[in-house]
Amino acid sequence: MNFIIIGRSGIGKSTLINEIFGEYLAEEGQGKRTTNESKKYESNLVPFLSLLDTVGTEIGVGHKLIDVLQETLQEITNKLDNRDPNEHIHCILYCTSGNRIVQDELEVILTLRERYDGKKLPIVIVYTRATNNLEVESIKKCY
């Protein structure tokens, strides 16, 4: 199974990869960008799974998150069209932080759903950095 991980720069995508695999594979930047191009990670500890880490999005003044993500969206589309099961994307992990999703992120999630719903591609929202019970309870209240 191939999962693609997307989200803002420094949100914890590389840390998530290391946690899922239970070993240090992806360089972590402690809130700074470390991924400059998409990279596939695999581990013998979880042999049925590969995780594609994508370049984190950085938004400049006057830019929208969805516009910055166009290259990643095209990469997802290309991999979905690929018949090779080693390349095909089976799930999107969308990483966000804190206890709420901001408007730009909601727009991205809705676009992902609209664009890939017909292809039966699950989109999972992953909250990174929810480290204490207060944050976890606040997230639960959102849903």
Side-chain angles (χ1 to χ4, degrees), residues 9 12 29 31 33 40 52 57 61-63 69 73-74 78 101 103 108 118 126 129-130 136-137 142:
S9 294
R33 172 185 267 186
K40 190 175 192 175
L52 182 63
T57 55
V61 175
H63 293 92
L69 275 172
L73 296 176
Q74 187 58 52
N78 292 346
I101 295 175
Q103 184 61 38
V108 169
V126 178
R129 301 194 181 117
V136 171
E137 289 306 314
C142 292

Side-chain angles (χ1 to χ4, degrees), residues 11-12 16 93-102 105-106 109 124-131 135-136 138-143:
I11 204 77
L16 178 64
L93 300 179
Y94 183 84
C95 293
T96 187
S97 181
N99 60 6
R100 64 186 177 95
I101 295 175
V102 296
E105 291 177 310
L106 183 58
I109 292 164
V124 177
I125 300 170
V126 178
Y127 285 95
T128 59
R129 301 194 181 117
T131 57
E135 287 176 329
V136 171
S138 180
I139 290 168
K140 287 179 184 177
K141 288 178 184 175
C142 292
Y143 303 96

Side-chain angles (χ1 to χ4, degrees), residues 1 18 30 33 35 39 50 56 58 61 68 70-71 79 86 98 101 111-112 123 140:
M1 305 240 348
N18 293 334
Q30 306 302 322
R33 172 185 267 186
T35 305
K39 184 173 180 183
S50 69
E58 293 184 20
V61 175
V68 177
Q70 290 305 314
E71 189 173 315
K79 289 190 175 293
N86 295 318
I101 295 175
T111 298
L112 290 169
I123 301 161
K140 287 179 184 177

Side-chain angles (χ1 to χ4, degrees), residues 35-47:
T35 305
N36 294 313
E37 62 184 2
S38 294
K39 184 173 180 183
K40 190 175 192 175
Y41 291 93
E42 298 173 310
S43 170
N44 291 332
L45 297 175
V46 188

Side-chain angles (χ1 to χ4, degrees), residues 103-121:
Q103 184 61 38
D104 261 3
E105 291 177 310
L106 183 58
E107 183 179 339
V108 169
I109 292 164
L110 293 174
T111 298
L112 290 169
R113 190 176 83 187
E114 288 171 13
R115 195 172 209 176
Y116 302 116
D117 193 41
K119 298 191 183 265
K120 308 284 189 228
L121 180 63

